[in-house]
Amino acid sequence: MYAEILEESISPKGRNELIRAISKGIVEPDERALRIAFSCLLCRRDEFSCSAQLKNADVTESFRRYLLERGVPMLPEHDLLAKNLANYGNPWGESKSARKRWAKDFLTKRFVNGKTGTLFYVGCTFSLDRTLQESPRALASIMQKANEDFGLLLDDELCCGSTAKRIGAAALFDKVRKLNSEKIRATGTKRIVTACSGCFKTLKQDYGGLLNGIEILHSTEYIALMIEQGRLKLDELPKKVTYHDPCHLGRHAGVYDAPRWILSSIPRLKLIEMRNSREKSRCCGGGAGVKTAYPSISQKVAVKRIEEADKTGADMLVTTCPFCMQTLKSAAQESGSKIEVIELSVLIDRISHPKGGRK
Amino acid sequence: MESGVLEAVKKSLISCLGETKVLWKKPDIVLYRKDTYRIKFDEDYKYLPDLVVLPETTAEVQEIVKVAAERRIPLIPKGGGSSRTGMLVPIHGGILVDTIKMNRVIEVSVPNLYVTVQPGVTLKELEEHLSEHNLALNQEQGSLRMATVGGSISTSGFSRKHQKYGTIADRVMSLEVVLADGRILRTGPKVLYTSTGYRLHQLFVGAEGTLGIITEATLRVEPLPEAKDAIVAFYKGFWEANEAAQRIMSSGVTFTGGEAYEGHDMSSYGAPPGLNGLFYVGFEGIKGEVEAEVEFVKKIVADTGGVLATHENASRFMGMYSEQWCGARTRTKSEDVLTTYVPMERMVEFYDILWNKIGKKYGISPLPGEKYGLDVGRYRIVAGRFFLPKGEGAYEKYQSALREIAELATGMGGSVSSCHGVGIQHKESIKLEYSEIALETMRAIKRTLDPDNIMNPGKKIDA
């Protein structure tokens, strides 16, 4: 975000200085301090080029929590998200039953506790944003093709709590993760697959052991496994594609290879890396409450990423996170880019068929 | 600043710049209290600017200066903020002018080999921009990722490629400067050499913002080289590596720059056990030229008992140059660095007195692998990083040590600070370096250009 605004107070250095000044009582915590705390995408990109090895994302997240605990009122934009989560069980204020709207072809796949094998955890954004619902349908379809014994929680699914954690609502996050982990534990599943990078990072890294013993796979890891095991066959796709690493999947969770391996497994597909990829990948601008609090800056960040993707000459920009999809699609539209922004599961569903069969 | 005045000034600035470019809330301005200079430990939050402004154009800078001049309010121009000597500390409060939004590349002239930029573009951004035109500024200072063109000029910064391309001082062709009364000075035509007027642009090189605010710079650039190479060699210690350095400097061979130092755990670059001395040299030019230079230097390495690193390790080593800049400083928490310029024949004596007398007397000790260092070439910086003293009276000991180091370097005919400027850190010590007539001439220049002493007052030289 600093690169867009060029005010040093919102740079990692500025935030760290502010944290120090507040902790020493030099500066009083106030709304401006909270705005500065929220002027960070928590993308960790700076950390991979930081020779001082600062952990800016973790520090900033703690700073948000600290300011709220010190009594600074939550930003109105975030207050709405937190209230939605408390009242509706998702940050987007949709009803419980709306959660299964995407799944009208998969209503028979309701998870049977103690019987079904793999839990497909969809997450709030993929299941509730109508523009993204193709993704969960594609992943469910892929699981069917791979003859996976999987089930869905449908309208019983709870939020993972990622949004609460990123906006500093610590008590709410604790409550949500407790409820969600109890719900998941009650299914008796030994394996969760999710296509949402935010849910993946949160379930895997932020649950403090509540889901220990359950394997948590991102959809890219799962699909790669299915291809490797020969349970999924891919048709050729004579296209040039580039891949955008979602921050929660890449820098936070270290999953860089699986999506690339999948793409390189597609016959006749050419994968071209952007100038900044893997650890150096630019953020899409959609993370950490920034899109809600600073939509225009979020959009600028996304447009920069689209420009990088365009420079590769690729036909398609593939990614695998609902927030990346939202911001990059909108930025491609705004900047007049011709590149097709597509979620990896959707792409794979289009060109895959079960072992021994044709699509 | 008295609160009524502050409100009036704030209002004037907002009407010139708009609200978003004027900062006054404490969470926004607290970080502008200092640069990377080690301010007195218990005075860390003593000096805050009253206001911070973020202009984008020369006209906006002009408006800011006029507002300040009217009420004789101090102005502190800022670039990337990597100064080590306190030149950005607002010791008299005032308006801090952050030029970071003035980051446009205005013109790239390929036939005339120059680039005209606003001062806030960083050296790294500029190199990236120029590379798209197959050009390079060739200014590699350790802080290149954050240092701006304006800051580098104002500090007279170093470049790792100084031997072939000079430092920023050698790159400046022409400047636009907003003077203390708000007038805009153009120092001269966009030419590298002219024998007509006084070389006014050089007056602002290393001026630390005390004479005006640079708002545009035209800099000489070079075509990207056809070939690049580097040699890294390991030696038993610094003094063995220095032998190779001395031979190269006296040989006349062309190279971009180099360094000899006593490294710390060089095994990750393939150093054989026990070899902690390191020597590197870079080369750029046309292919045959670079090949010949590399062969020449390899022979010197062989003759002086050095062990060459593999090509891969040498490339890796050269690539981490800017990585070590702020990282080492942050991780060690409490350190400072010397950039003294010492005559070569006095280097052994300098280091002996530095570590065995001054160091022991005041409790300063070198960081691992930073005891000895020499920038190889015509820019002969004798450097070392050291831990600050600890315990009671630590700050006073630190200042006394700096003073004695300054006396040592200048007593040998050298300089206190070859590339970090003066700021407040060396303000007293530069008196050791210049005659009273030279100092009075500098003061006269300052008084002529800034009679009310509003341009970064209290830095570099007393008005």
Side-chain angles (χ1 to χ4, degrees), chain B residues 145-290:
Chain B
R145 290 194 293 183
M146 69 187 290
T148 62
V149 165
S152 184
I153 293 171
S154 298
T155 313
S156 194
F158 173 73
S159 168
R160 180 165 70 151
K161 295 179 172 182
H162 63 88
Q163 180 71 359
K164 189 172 173 92
Y165 304 109
T167 64
I168 196 81
D170 305 301
R171 300 275 113 196
V172 178
M173 295 166 71
S174 179
L175 296 174
E176 177 191 82
V177 182
V178 175
L179 298 175
D181 58 4
R183 287 180 301 153
I184 296 172
L185 167 71
R186 281 202 168 271
T187 59
K190 294 180 178 182
V191 296
L192 191 59
Y193 299 114
T194 170
S195 57
T196 54
Y198 293 126
R199 296 177 74 77
L200 290 179
H201 56 286
Q202 289 295 341
L203 204 50
F204 296 90
V205 176
E208 304 179 17
T210 59
L211 301 180
I213 301 176
I214 297 169
T215 48
E216 195 182 292
T218 299
L219 306 163
R220 166 78 179 190
V221 296
E222 307 293 341
L224 284 175
E226 181 191 22
K228 284 184 180 189
D229 209 341
I231 282 181
V232 171
F234 304 108
Y235 288 83
K236 189 178 169 204
F238 168 76
W239 297 106
E240 288 76 10
N242 177 54
E243 176 62 24
Q246 298 298 331
R247 285 208 202 179
I248 282 163
M249 285 194 281
S250 58
S251 72
V253 66
T254 304
F255 55 98
T256 55
E259 196 175 346
Y261 68 92
E262 185 165 284
H264 171 62
D265 189 14
M266 304 308 295
S267 59
S268 60
Y269 295 101
L275 297 194
N276 287 322
L278 186 135
F279 170 60
Y280 77 76
V281 196
F283 307 91
E284 291 185 2
I286 59 171
K287 196 161 172 274
E289 175 194 358
V290 168

Side-chain angles (χ1 to χ4, degrees), chain A residues 2-11 13-34 36 46 48-54 275 311, chain B residues 20-21 23 25-36 44-45 48 54 78-82 98 100-101 103 124-125 128 132 145-146 322-328 330-331:
Chain A
Y2 168 66
E4 297 307 321
I5 298 181
L6 285 177
E7 278 178 31
E8 223 174 323
S9 54
I10 64 154
S11 68
K13 175 186 164 191
R15 261 192 308 278
N16 288 332
E17 285 286 0
L18 178 58
I19 292 167
R20 190 202 276 183
I22 287 178
S23 68
K24 284 176 181 282
I26 306 288
V27 175
E28 279 301 305
D30 62 6
E31 195 210 323
R32 180 58 199 156
L34 193 63
I36 290 173
D46 52 346
F48 279 81
S49 58
C50 177
S51 48
Q53 298 169 1
L54 298 179
R275 182 175 170 208
K311 278 189 183 165
Chain B
T20 58
K21 292 185 206 167
L23 309 178
K25 290 179 182 169
K26 227 171 173 184
D28 283 312
I29 63 171
V30 69
L31 80 115
Y32 293 101
R33 73 192 187 280
K34 62 174 186 180
D35 45 35
T36 68
D44 200 12
Y45 292 92
L48 282 178
L54 294 146
K78 173 187 164 294
S82 58
D98 192 349
I100 207 82
K101 281 181 190 271
N103 62 352
K124 184 167 184 280
E125 286 165 346
E128 284 170 359
E132 292 173 13
R145 290 194 293 183
M146 69 187 290
S322 68
E323 301 297 318
Q324 63 188 5
W325 182 77
C326 69
T330 307
R331 288 198 296 274

Side-chain angles (χ1 to χ4, degrees), chain A residues 103-334:
Chain A
K104 60 180 190 301
D105 296 334
F106 300 97
L107 294 176
T108 57
K109 298 301 292 181
R110 188 178 284 278
F111 198 99
V112 181
N113 290 359
K115 284 192 177 171
T116 315
T118 298
L119 171 65
F120 173 15
Y121 183 85
V122 184
C124 303
T125 311
F126 267 141
S127 61
L128 293 168
D129 182 339
R130 287 162 194 265
T131 68
L132 297 174
Q133 289 171 349
E134 203 184 351
S135 280
R137 282 196 283 270
L139 185 55
S141 162
I142 288 168
M143 290 173 122
Q144 282 183 327
K145 288 177 199 172
N147 200 22
E148 181 69 51
D149 172 27
F150 78 101
L152 300 156
L153 293 173
L154 298 168
D155 48 347
D156 267 350
E157 188 180 274
L158 302 177
C159 176
C160 70
S162 176
T163 302
K165 180 149 174 45
R166 305 316 148 212
I167 65 171
L172 181 60
F173 174 64
D174 278 346
K175 189 177 161 193
V176 171
R177 75 172 174 181
K178 186 167 178 289
L179 286 173
N180 192 35
S181 56
E182 282 167 2
K183 170 74 76 179
I184 290 172
R185 284 240 171 256
T187 65
T189 188
K190 293 288 172 213
R191 179 158 83 166
I192 299 171
V193 175
T194 182
C196 175
S197 300
C199 296
F200 175 66
K201 181 250 184 297
T202 307
L203 296 176
K204 197 157 174 142
Q205 297 182 337
D206 300 328
Y207 266 44
L210 292 172
L211 294 176
N212 277 359
I214 301 176
E215 185 185 19
I216 299 166
L217 289 179
H218 186 256
S219 55
T220 55
E221 296 174 309
Y222 171 79
I223 294 169
L225 199 63
M226 293 303 102
I227 297 169
E228 198 181 12
Q229 290 176 355
R231 291 164 64 179
L232 205 59
K233 297 290 177 188
L234 303 179
D235 296 328
E236 66 176 30
L237 185 69
K239 295 267 187 194
K240 285 185 281 184
V241 305
T242 190
Y243 175 72
H244 166 76
D245 292 277
C247 303
H248 276 153
L249 187 64
R251 278 186 289 265
H252 282 268
V255 180
Y256 299 108
D257 293 332
R260 289 177 170 79
W261 187 85
I262 295 167
L263 291 169
S264 59
S265 303
I266 301 172
R268 297 189 63 200
L269 180 141
K270 189 177 178 198
L271 173 64
I272 309 165
E273 293 286 358
M274 281 181 264
R275 182 175 170 208
N276 292 296
S277 70
R278 300 179 71 95
E279 291 87 351
K280 287 199 310 183
S281 177
R282 279 180 177 280
C283 177
C284 74
V290 168
K291 195 176 178 197
T292 320
Y294 302 94
S296 64
I297 296 165
S298 164
Q299 182 84 344
K300 277 188 191 173
V301 175
V303 167
K304 276 205 174 147
R305 190 58 170 160
I306 289 292
E307 286 168 357
E308 271 196 359
D310 277 338
K311 278 189 183 165
T312 65
D315 308 300
M316 290 175 159
L317 169 58
V318 181
T319 190
T320 176
C321 163
F323 302 101
C324 296
M325 282 297 296
Q326 285 173 336
T327 45
L328 293 174
K329 265 174 117 171
S330 152
Q333 207 169 11
E334 183 186 273

